[in-house]
Amino acid sequence: MTGVDLARVALRAAKEQARARGAAAQQKKQARRGGGLRSGARSDGRDPLALGSAINRLITERGWESPAAVGGVMGRWPQIVGEDLAKHCVPLRYDDAPDARVLTVSCDSTAWATQLRLLAPQLVARLNADLGHGTVRLIKVVGPGGPERRYGPLRAPGSKGPGDTYG
């Protein structure tokens, strides 16, 4: 976590503690009046939340904004890169470590892997415009994995390279 993330978490924790202290004081005051918590016209912490609000609150509390946004991008991959590229290149994972922030994409042939490498700077710019500056720093392109080649006179000991030129 960076200093900004730590500050965000500390602020969130301080706000929750302040709310808890305020709620405890309110309960104490109502207990002195001769009753427990009473329902009223105004909303309080006991009211149910809509599912979307509860999920957004959970994402914010846990600091999952960036991974959730990237997950949304993976769901909208064909709209972001185009139908042709999406048929041959699929996002595999996102490393959200502050020093990495790498989106790994798998392609089904070396030609599409080369094409994606050429488009990577524009794609990083498009993703950062959609997700926020610095969310994706690098796109790592993984080519096709072929079957292991076990036979042949010129095979190096221990090599498992695919028959494709990517290896």
Side-chain angles (χ1 to χ4, degrees):
M1 290 181 118
T2 64
V4 175
D5 294 332
L6 290 174
R8 187 178 295 136
V9 169
L11 177 64
R12 226 178 272 126
K15 284 182 179 181
E16 288 297 322
Q17 289 174 354
R19 270 193 215 106
R21 282 194 305 269
Q26 182 72 16
Q27 287 177 351
K28 197 173 183 182
K29 187 165 59 168
Q30 285 183 353
R32 273 186 266 146
R33 282 196 231 150
L37 279 175
R38 295 188 183 136
S39 175
R42 293 188 189 95
S43 63
D44 59 12
R46 300 174 299 154
D47 289 341
L49 292 174
L51 182 61
S53 300
I55 290 174
N56 287 338
R57 181 175 167 188
L58 179 68
I59 287 172
T60 303
E61 286 174 356
R62 304 288 173 133
W64 294 340
E65 292 94 353
S66 178
V70 172
V73 164
M74 289 186 177
R76 295 181 291 123
W77 184 251
Q79 290 86 19
I80 293 172
V81 298
E83 292 295 327
D84 289 340
L85 196 59
K87 288 178 187 174
H88 301 282
C89 301
V90 179
L92 293 179
R93 64 185 162 274
Y94 174 69
D95 181 15
D96 63 342
D99 56 332
R101 298 191 180 177
V102 176
L103 179 65
T104 304
V105 180
S106 172
C107 297
D108 60 4
S109 72
T110 55
W112 284 106
T114 303
Q115 182 68 23
L116 188 63
R117 277 196 199 95
L118 293 173
L119 293 173
Q122 292 93 353
L123 190 55
V124 167
R126 185 182 297 168
L127 289 169
N128 284 330
D130 192 28
L131 301 173
H133 182 68
T135 305
V136 177
R137 291 186 182 171
L138 178 70
I139 293 180
K140 180 180 175 184
V141 181
V142 179
E148 290 186 14
R149 293 190 329 186
R150 297 180 186 260
Y151 305 107
L154 300 177
R155 185 176 162 271
S159 74
K160 297 180 183 178
D164 195 49
T165 58
Y166 199 96

